[in-house]
Amino acid sequence: QVQLQESGPRLVKPSETLALTCAVSGYSISSGYYWGWIRQSPARGLEWIGSIYYGGTAYYNPSLKSRVTMSVDTSQNQISLNLSSVTATDTAVYYCVRHGPGEVTVDYWGQGALVTVSS
Amino acid sequence: DIQMTQSPSSLSASVGDRVTITCRASQSIRRYLNWYQQKPGEAPKLLISTASTLQSGVPSRFSGSGSGTDFTLTISSLQSEDFATYYCQQSYTGAYSFGQGTKLE
């Protein structure tokens, strides 16, 4: 059974960088699939942030591209998200997800991590 | 950006009712349309992909149809466990955007 677990600071100050890690169990990231992040907030709804393949190829939501960096660590079987210059509008539940190639159809979700941007 | 618009935003229904939720894309997405169900405090769950492909384990009372810009999710006979929020999502291009959700009450 594939399981995804988000971890990282739950409170981030404005203008700083939000950093989250997703540990994957039950499946080797190197075996395929794409791994990514989706966030959800009352104001913005569900929003795809970006996805990455185990080889390191990443693609991002055009509206967030300038602030997003994703990476993969196959030795630890985990992926990471960095979102820079955060503001209060980045407050959301951040989900780690898995999807197939070619389209973002998510078959596995983490439980989600509520990250609040506040001073 | 492709905008996804769901209607209605909320829907009052009873067990046994036939329920239909619609989703409209701002441009053609062919059949690259997914439906998710989300219950309070949980992550969304994939119900239907590519407009009409029912995921393994999803009850057959759920069905999807449509192509191009107009899509529907139908629950043929509503069960108590189906009261949740439903989201459509285009998996075609760009920001892979979601609809704003339809809450079944």
Side-chain angles (χ1 to χ4, degrees):
Chain A
Q1 176 75 348
V2 180
Q3 292 186 313
L4 300 86
Q5 180 65 58
E6 304 90 347
S7 62
R10 296 300 200 258
L11 180 63
V12 182
K13 289 183 168 55
S15 80
E16 295 190 345
T17 296
L18 180 158
L20 292 173
T21 297
C22 172
V24 179
S25 59
Y27 190 88
S28 171
I29 286 179
S30 301
S31 294
Y33 283 92
Y34 280 74
W35 308 86
W37 297 90
I38 290 172
R39 67 182 182 179
Q40 184 175 29
S41 66
R44 302 175 69 88
L46 286 161
E47 183 176 32
W48 172 73
I49 299 171
S51 299
I52 190 166
Y53 194 58
Y54 78 91
T57 302
Y59 55 112
Y60 305 128
N61 186 321
S63 69
L64 298 169
K65 186 176 182 179
S66 63
R67 299 195 291 130
V68 175
T69 303
M70 294 178 58
S71 61
V72 60
D73 184 340
T74 54
S75 66
Q76 297 293 318
N77 214 43
Q78 62 185 32
I79 64 168
S80 297
L81 167 70
N82 278 3
L83 180 66
S84 64
S85 305
V86 296
T87 68
T89 58
D90 294 309
T91 295
V93 176
Y94 286 76
Y95 291 102
C96 177
V97 300
R98 186 187 88 163
H99 63 85
E103 54 180 284
V104 178
T105 297
V106 177
D107 59 356
Y108 283 97
W109 299 69
Q111 64 183 25
L114 174 60
V115 180
T116 302
V117 178
S118 174
S119 56
Chain B
D1 281 2
I2 298 176
Q3 308 300 318
M4 306 300 294
T5 304
Q6 286 182 237
S7 61
S9 298
S10 64
L11 179 58
S12 182
S14 301
V15 171
D17 285 353
R18 180 182 180 88
V19 169
T20 297
I21 299 168
T22 64
C23 179
R24 175 163 289 176
S26 59
Q27 65 186 73
S28 176
I29 56 171
R30 299 167 63 182
R31 290 178 59 82
Y32 291 96
L33 191 283
N34 303 319
W35 289 99
Y36 298 87
Q37 175 194 66
Q38 186 177 33
K39 296 181 178 179
E42 298 181 3
K45 171 189 173 184
L46 180 64
L47 297 178
I48 289 171
S49 63
T50 54
S52 61
T53 302
L54 200 65
Q55 298 304 293
S56 175
V58 175
S60 59
R61 61 181 179 272
F62 290 92
S63 64
S65 64
S67 65
T69 60
D70 294 311
F71 302 86
T72 61
L73 171 70
T74 299
I75 309 173
S76 60
S77 179
L78 199 63
Q79 301 300 301
S80 58
E81 60 267 32
D82 301 336
F83 289 95
T85 300
Y86 293 83
Y87 295 93
C88 64
Q89 179 223 2
Q90 61 90 5
S91 57
Y92 186 55
T93 191
Y96 303 103
S97 42
F98 290 81
Q100 81 279 15
T102 296
K103 186 174 183 179
L104 259 183
E105 303 175 305

